[in-house]
């Protein structure tokens, strides 16, 4: 019995190792995950882009702003002229927050009277917003303590506003992000396993000899997973709004358009994986190889701005990143149409590229 078991074990090892695809899937994904985790995942928020609306234009206000400029946490300080600019920069995620200094800032300090500085932070990323609030509050508190001893009371106080998620409800951020990730998982897994399943069951040859063209087969393999993922996404959105009471403040039409486009680009990735794999096991490993880096680099765990420049460049081609931006933007803040379109264009290009690549690979396999 032991000899038979040992023979089977050796046979399985040899089968896995002799198959080039299985061998590469065993070696490459762990190394890739290690590389991505080590560089892209961090709970420390740095490289923060911050806006300043300085109505005081005084020595005192410039001294406070210099504390932000010289901080290791803040990368760029952008000076703005009015509240409209502040709103635009935060909405479009050009900055992660802003500081607003009132006209009477300098006069209040000279008179040793309390004055309030307002901190505005993008609340769509709850963990990041909370950390930025702590950083800004600490800088302002240290500045206030230099002006007056703590026992006399703070001269400079902080008023914090979290836009798009006033109470920094983590559930808001988590559920919207989960909708995106589950839609990704469903669509890419179903499409990746479709052609591989046909090969494994031996029905792929029947498709080849059927009157269907390669394009028709691809369309037939694309539509069902796309429809299933779209319906489940809408159902999860409905549950989030009705059961968990998360406010949906954007346009349902643009949310549907964005979801459809994002899922189409992800389905293209799944079809490409499926066209390369011979078994469902290989397809699942291929999905895992794509899915984990895509999610980690999407900004779900750590802000994209805190990642190395190399990963930020790769992220340009990551459909999950744009899907995450659109989902949270439309769901939580009612993203403006120009901003939606600017994120839809990369998704459309990625969808065209992945579907074309999957079609050519599939056609070559048929030939």
């Amino acid at each position: 019995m032991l000899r038979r078991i040992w023979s089977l074990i050796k046979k399985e090892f040899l089968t896995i190792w002799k198959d080039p695809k299985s061998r590469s899937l065993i070696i490459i994904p762990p190394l890739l995950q290690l590389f991505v985790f080590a560089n892209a995942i961090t709970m420390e928020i740095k490289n923060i882009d911050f806006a300043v609306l300085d109505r005081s234009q005084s020595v005192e206000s410039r001294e406070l702003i210099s504390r932000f400029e010289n901080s290791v946490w803040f990368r760029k300080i952008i000076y703005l002229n009015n509240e409209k600019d502040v709103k635009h920069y935060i909405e479009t995620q050009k900055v992660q927050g802003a500081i607003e200094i009132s006209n009477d800032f300098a006069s209040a300090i000279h008179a040793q009277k309390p004055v309030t500085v307002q901190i505005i932070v993008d609340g769509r990323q709850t963990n990041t917003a909370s950390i930025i609030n702590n950083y800004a509050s600490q800088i302002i508190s240290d500045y206030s303590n230099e002006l007056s001893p703590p026992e006399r009371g703070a001269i400079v106080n902080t008023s914090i506003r979290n836009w798009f998620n006033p109470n920094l409800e983590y559930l808001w951020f988590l559920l919207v992000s989960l909708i995106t990730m589950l839609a990704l998982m469903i669509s890419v897994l179903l499409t990746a396993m479709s052609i591989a399943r046909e090969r494994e069951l031996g029905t792929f040859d029947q498709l080849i000899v059927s009157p269907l063209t390669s394009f028709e087969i691809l369309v037939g393999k694309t539509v069902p997973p796309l429809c299933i993922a779209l319906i489940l996404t809408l159902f999860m959105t409905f549950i989030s709004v009705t059961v968990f009471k998360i406010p949906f403040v954007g346009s349902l039409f643009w949310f549907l358009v964005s979801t459809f486009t994002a899922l189409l680009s992800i389905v293209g990735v799944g079809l490409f994986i499926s066209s390369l794999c011979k078994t469902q096991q290989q397809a699942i490993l291929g999905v895992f190889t794509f899915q984990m880096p895509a999610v980690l680099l999407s900004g779900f765990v750590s802000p994209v701005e805190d990642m190395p420049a190399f990963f930020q460049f790769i992220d340009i081609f990551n459909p999950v990143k744009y899907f995450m931006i659109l989902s949270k933007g439309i769901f939580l803040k009612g993203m403006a149409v120009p901003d939606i379109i600017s994120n839809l264009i990369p998704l459309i290009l990625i969808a065209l590229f992945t579907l074309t690549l999957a079609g050519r690979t599939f056609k070559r396999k048929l030939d």
Side-chain angles (χ1 to χ4, degrees):
M1 183 184 68
L2 291 176
R3 193 163 54 246
R4 289 195 302 269
I5 293 174
W6 176 243
S7 299
L8 182 60
I9 291 173
K10 286 198 298 182
K11 178 254 184 190
E12 287 299 315
F13 271 116
L14 290 172
T15 301
I16 292 172
W17 188 250
K18 285 183 178 180
D19 183 7
K21 292 181 180 177
S22 296
R23 190 165 62 242
S24 62
L25 287 172
I26 291 170
I27 297 172
I28 295 174
L31 296 177
L32 181 63
Q33 306 299 333
L34 179 66
F35 186 60
V36 172
F37 267 92
N39 289 278
I41 304 303
T42 175
M43 294 295 107
E44 185 179 26
I45 308 300
K46 291 185 178 181
N47 302 321
I48 302 169
D49 293 333
F50 219 58
V52 171
L53 179 57
D54 183 9
R55 291 195 172 93
S56 177
Q57 296 292 329
S58 60
V59 174
E60 290 76 12
S61 65
R62 286 193 289 271
E63 173 63 24
L64 175 58
I65 295 168
S66 70
R67 306 295 178 93
F68 285 85
E69 290 176 329
N70 296 321
S71 170
V72 296
W73 303 314
F74 294 87
R75 175 176 58 182
K76 185 191 300 182
I77 301 297
I78 302 173
Y79 290 85
L80 303 177
N81 299 318
N82 51 61
E83 291 182 351
K84 184 178 179 181
D85 290 340
V86 172
K87 181 181 178 182
H88 171 72
Y89 270 72
I90 293 179
E91 280 189 348
T92 56
Q93 296 182 312
K94 293 179 180 177
V95 297
Q96 293 160 282
I99 178 173
E100 185 175 336
I101 302 174
S102 59
N103 294 323
D104 61 342
F105 183 78
S107 59
I109 289 176
H110 288 304
Q112 292 290 294
K113 293 181 180 179
V115 64
T116 300
V117 172
Q118 182 167 252
I119 300 296
I120 303 169
V121 179
D122 187 348
R124 285 169 288 184
Q125 195 92 359
T126 53
N127 180 60
T128 302
S130 179
I131 293 174
I132 293 174
N133 285 336
N134 291 335
Y135 288 165
S137 298
Q138 184 62 51
I139 291 173
I140 294 172
S141 177
D142 291 344
Y143 177 70
S144 179
N145 291 339
E146 290 182 12
L147 297 174
S148 176
E151 58 269 15
R152 291 183 54 186
I155 292 181
V156 183
N157 298 305
T158 306
S159 172
I160 296 175
R161 292 181 60 192
N162 301 300
W163 281 5
F164 317 125
N165 189 355
N167 298 318
L168 290 184
E169 294 282 351
Y170 189 74
L171 189 63
W172 291 18
F173 162 75
L174 180 64
L175 277 180
V176 177
S177 300
L178 280 176
I179 290 172
T180 302
M181 289 190 295
L182 291 174
L184 156 72
M185 182 183 69
I186 293 164
S187 56
V188 75
L189 188 60
L190 288 177
T191 49
M193 293 180 65
S194 60
I195 299 174
R197 183 172 58 249
E198 297 277 3
R199 286 198 178 102
E200 196 170 336
L201 295 175
T203 57
F204 188 67
D205 292 337
Q206 297 176 12
L207 282 176
I208 295 175
V209 299
S210 69
L212 295 169
T213 64
S214 59
F215 173 76
E216 291 169 342
I217 295 173
L218 273 179
V219 172
K221 293 291 185 182
T222 301
V223 172
L226 186 62
C227 291
I228 292 170
L230 187 60
I231 291 170
L232 287 175
T233 300
L234 292 176
F235 181 70
M236 289 186 290
T237 302
F238 175 76
I239 294 296
S240 299
V241 172
T242 56
V243 177
F244 295 100
K245 307 299 181 184
I246 300 177
F248 188 96
V249 299
S251 166
L252 182 60
F253 169 77
W254 283 111
F255 183 73
L256 288 172
V257 171
S258 302
T259 302
F260 177 82
T261 308
L263 290 177
L264 194 62
S265 66
I266 294 167
V267 162
V269 175
L271 284 173
F272 176 69
I273 293 172
S274 187
S275 65
L276 295 176
C277 299
K278 293 181 179 179
T279 65
Q280 294 183 72
Q281 183 181 14
Q282 289 178 348
I284 292 172
L285 289 172
V287 168
F288 178 75
T289 304
F290 162 76
Q291 184 175 303
M292 287 300 293
V295 171
L296 294 175
L297 294 174
S298 68
F300 170 65
V301 179
S302 301
V304 176
E305 295 80 8
D306 289 336
M307 300 176 188
F310 173 72
F311 285 107
Q312 293 187 40
F313 173 76
I314 291 178
D315 228 16
I316 297 173
F317 311 100
N318 183 10
V320 187
K321 182 190 80 168
Y322 302 106
F323 193 11
M324 195 79 72
I325 292 172
L326 287 166
S327 297
K328 290 189 290 186
I330 296 172
F331 207 114
L332 297 178
K333 80 176 189 70
M335 182 182 280
V337 174
D339 299 327
I340 294 174
I341 293 174
S342 67
N343 284 283
L344 274 178
I345 291 173
L347 276 178
I348 293 171
L349 295 175
I350 292 171
L352 291 173
F353 175 76
T354 55
L355 289 170
T356 303
L357 185 63
R360 289 185 176 180
T361 306
F362 182 68
K363 193 170 187 288
R364 190 166 61 247
K365 292 284 184 178
L366 285 180
D367 296 338

